[in-house]
Amino acid sequence: MHSLPYLTLDKDVRQVRQADVDAFAAQIHGGVLGAADAAYDAARKVWNATVDRRPALIARCLTDRDVQAAVRFAGEHRMLLSVRGGGHHIAGNAVAEGGLMLDLSGMRTIGIDAGKRTARVGPGALLGDLDRAAQAHGLATPLGINSTTGVAGLTLGGGFGWLTRRHGLTIDNLLGASVVTADAALRTVSANSEPDLFWALRGGGGNFGVVTSFEFQLHPVGPEVYAGLVVYPFAQARQILRAWRDFTAGAPDELSVWAVLRKAPPLPFLPASAHGADVVIFPLLYCGDVEAGQRAAAPVLQFGDPIATYLGPTPYAAFQTAFDPLLTPGGRNYWKSNNFSTLSDAALDLMIGAAGRLPGPECEIFVAQLGGAMSRVKPAATAFVGRDARYIMNVHGRWSDARDDDRVRAWARQAFQDAAPHATGSGYVNFLTEDEAERVAASYGSNYPRLQDVKQRFDPGNLFRMNLNIVPAEAAQLQASP
Ligand SMILES: Cc1cc2nc3c(=O)[nH]c(=O)nc-3n(C[C@H](O)[C@H](O)[C@H](O)COP(=O)(O)OP(=O)(O)OC[C@H]3O[C@@H](n4cnc5c(N)ncnc54)[C@H](O)[C@@H]3O)c2cc1C
């Protein structure tokens, strides 16, 4: 009799009868792929090309029932299970080597209720899908800066972008969700229904079940906003980054100004002599009235002597795709990131030092400016504890040749380590790499024990472990006892 080898949750090799696989596949509307199928290789690819894993099976779910069947099948066979939304997480946990990968990319529908200003969003939707659909009504919710990122993973880890200072994290705008938990039950969660699960979903990063639908609050935004870039020479970095830090401390919530230290891409508005030169770029967006935005952002032009500026009224949905060309899938990527509540001169100098040693033309250090509305939510109100993060630095190693893996990773690790004494010690789970499991507890800080209790209730066997994993309370006690 035919059978298929697979890896269990404990990474043991077991066999499942082909007849059982066939019976399972018959339940999944998008079909189930194995290694011999033509679509298998494309389906197992994720954004980060350093991730090259081969699941035993890929279930292409199209309905809630498909997801329930897949969770049931994985549970019955104790099969290693992964969940893929947009496939952007740097750690590549969307793909289970030897296990079952739930591919949700076909569940991409979006429904906008313009009257209520809400959006119902499928778990395969990308940020660009939601931005486009909501902007058709002049609405938006805070999302990230790369339009091909998945709404699902971004939301479950917290989610921040240009609207966060004004409207909070993505999770602060989550009104409810449908979730298939480890027992394969489909649950509706909101502030009034399964409140503990709803609390844990908002930052708990996929540890509690498979979300099959999200409901978001939307806000009037744009459609035109004041946005763009100001580019300075790297030689002025010390002066302009201090000026940026001081300015951002008092900026209005509508305005977000990020800092990016990198080699200049060949942007058409830059003089050719600047292409490839070390620069400091301030991307910015003001999400209120366009003229007020121009006034509010004017000081960014006075930090020093800019090489070039590209600022003006811009469609919000277009600005949400502006960085896509620098963040295309298929590159090799490694990230290290720190949260900061303040940026001391010493911390800025360390970033400048690391940017002076960039190991390649696509590498960068970016610092997102947060605070505002997100920091006015209490740390215990949702699973996302790091409300004191006024800035998140991401050291982004990006390259194309596998022979550079160690060199670029070493640079990123060093930059992270050097800056760590100045950082809060917390982390953003959506930015943690697969070798950072030890940072998970610190990233959840005082919320971690409650998360472990909720995990114990809804996933005591840790079926959902392909993530930045929250260990169920009882298993953690066993691990801790001698
Ligand atoms: C180029 C780039 C730019 C980014 N910019 C930002 C940014 O501006 N702001 C920001 O906050 N983040 C940003 N991120 C980080 C991003 O939030 C995370 O990578 C996020 O996990 C991506 O979600 P995904 O669905 O695409 O990823 P996936 O890799 O598909 O999913 C990540 C994890 O989420 C869980 N998951 C996914 N879908 C579900 C589901 N339906 N149910 C349960 N669990 C699920 C799984 O554990 C999975 O391993 C960026 C990432 C990239 C690569």
Side-chain angles (χ1 to χ4, degrees):
M1 183 180 296
H2 290 302
S3 65
L4 177 79
Y6 69 93
L7 284 188
T8 67
L9 291 172
D10 306 311
K11 308 261 175 92
D12 299 326
V13 181
R14 266 200 214 163
Q15 307 279 333
V16 54
R17 292 184 321 150
Q18 189 59 45
D20 291 342
V21 174
D22 294 344
F24 166 55
Q27 299 175 65
I28 306 296
H29 286 81
V32 172
L33 301 172
D37 290 301
Y40 172 84
D41 274 328
R44 72 185 179 87
K45 273 208 176 71
V46 288
W47 178 79
N48 184 1
T50 65
V51 178
D52 181 17
R53 302 197 191 124
R54 303 181 69 81
L57 296 168
I58 301 175
R60 303 185 111 175
C61 300
L62 296 181
T63 68
D64 291 2
R65 280 178 183 240
D66 292 356
V67 173
Q68 288 178 282
V71 168
R72 199 174 298 116
F73 181 77
E76 278 167 8
H77 296 277
R78 286 189 53 74
M79 192 176 279
L80 189 63
L81 174 69
S82 71
V83 183
R84 184 199 197 277
H88 264 45
H89 200 291
I90 188 78
N93 283 323
V95 201
E97 176 73 35
L100 172 64
M101 170 175 163
L102 263 71
D103 179 2
L104 305 177
S105 59
M107 297 175 74
R108 210 166 155 175
T109 51
I110 298 200
I112 304 289
D113 186 329
K116 285 196 197 146
R117 292 183 178 161
T118 58
R120 188 163 284 283
V121 181
L126 306 183
L127 306 193
D129 299 335
L130 177 50
D131 275 331
R132 278 189 297 274
Q135 277 290 279
H137 305 275
L139 300 170
T141 205
L143 297 171
I145 59 136
N146 171 226
S147 75
T148 58
T149 308
V151 172
L154 176 120
T155 302
L156 293 169
F160 67 81
W162 299 115
L163 305 184
T164 290
R165 289 172 41 72
R166 174 69 182 84
H167 295 296
L169 294 169
T170 310
I171 49 167
D172 298 332
N173 295 278
L174 185 65
L175 300 173
S178 300
V179 193
V180 176
T181 41
D183 55 2
L186 178 67
R187 298 169 197 262
T188 304
V189 304
S190 68
N192 302 317
S193 165
E194 308 270 22
D196 284 343
L197 191 51
F198 185 52
W199 175 84
L201 279 187
R202 287 175 290 161
N207 269 281
F208 300 94
V210 186
V211 176
T212 59
S213 157
F214 297 86
E215 190 182 2
F216 293 106
Q217 184 70 61
L218 303 173
H219 310 273
V221 173
E224 282 210 323
V225 291
Y226 187 78
L229 307 174
V230 183
V231 183
Y232 283 97
F234 189 68
Q236 296 173 28
R238 288 194 88 199
Q239 167 196 338
I240 58 175
L241 285 172
R242 282 164 169 69
W244 165 73
R245 183 257 330 265
D246 296 343
F247 171 70
T248 51
D253 288 353
E254 287 81 359
L255 182 64
S256 300
V257 188
W258 294 15
V260 185
L261 291 72
R262 59 169 295 140
K263 292 191 186 295
L267 299 167
F269 69 91
L270 284 177
S273 58
H275 295 176
D278 288 342
V279 289
V280 179
I281 305 174
F282 294 109
L284 63 88
L285 184 142
Y286 184 92
C287 64
D289 172 74
V290 169
E291 280 173 20
Q294 183 168 11
R295 285 193 298 277
V300 181
L301 300 165
Q302 314 290 321
F303 293 166
D305 189 12
I307 301 172
T309 61
Y310 189 76
L311 286 169
T314 306
Y316 172 73
F319 197 66
Q320 282 289 82
T321 65
F323 302 96
D324 289 0
L326 296 176
L327 298 168
T328 48
R332 302 179 78 76
N333 296 273
Y334 185 77
W335 292 354
K336 291 294 280 187
S337 103
N338 288 314
N339 292 359
F340 297 88
S341 53
T342 56
L343 282 172
S344 63
D345 288 353
L348 291 173
D349 286 347
L350 287 164
M351 291 178 200
I352 295 166
R357 302 187 297 273
L358 290 175
E362 293 184 90
C363 297
E364 65 182 22
I365 296 180
F366 86 72
V367 189
Q369 182 205 358
L370 299 177
M374 79 158 260
S375 59
R376 292 191 284 271
V377 176
K378 293 215 162 36
T382 66
F384 185 102
V385 79
R387 300 285 176 173
D388 58 344
R390 301 284 163 151
Y391 304 92
I392 295 187
M393 174 189 78
N394 197 18
V395 184
H396 183 173
R398 185 172 163 92
W399 67 105
S400 51
D401 188 335
R403 285 172 299 185
D404 291 328
D405 284 8
D406 290 345
R407 191 172 62 83
V408 181
R409 286 184 177 136
W411 167 76
R413 288 185 184 126
Q414 191 63 53
F416 161 80
Q417 256 169 33
D418 291 347
H422 304 271
T424 64
S426 184
Y428 178 38
V429 291
N430 272 348
F431 283 0
L432 299 189
T433 51
E434 62 179 337
D435 52 10
E436 294 192 303
E438 84 289 351
R439 290 185 71 195
V440 173
S443 297
Y444 288 116
S446 53
N447 283 344
Y448 195 60
R450 183 174 173 195
L451 281 163
Q452 289 187 293
D453 286 343
V454 182
K455 179 82 171 169
Q456 180 68 38
R457 252 176 75 199
F458 290 98
D459 186 16
N462 206 2
L463 179 64
F464 302 109
R465 63 179 64 186
M466 290 283 310
N467 42 45
L468 277 305
N469 196 230
I470 293 165
V471 182
E474 284 179 17
Q477 272 163 18
L478 281 176
Q479 279 170 15
S481 58

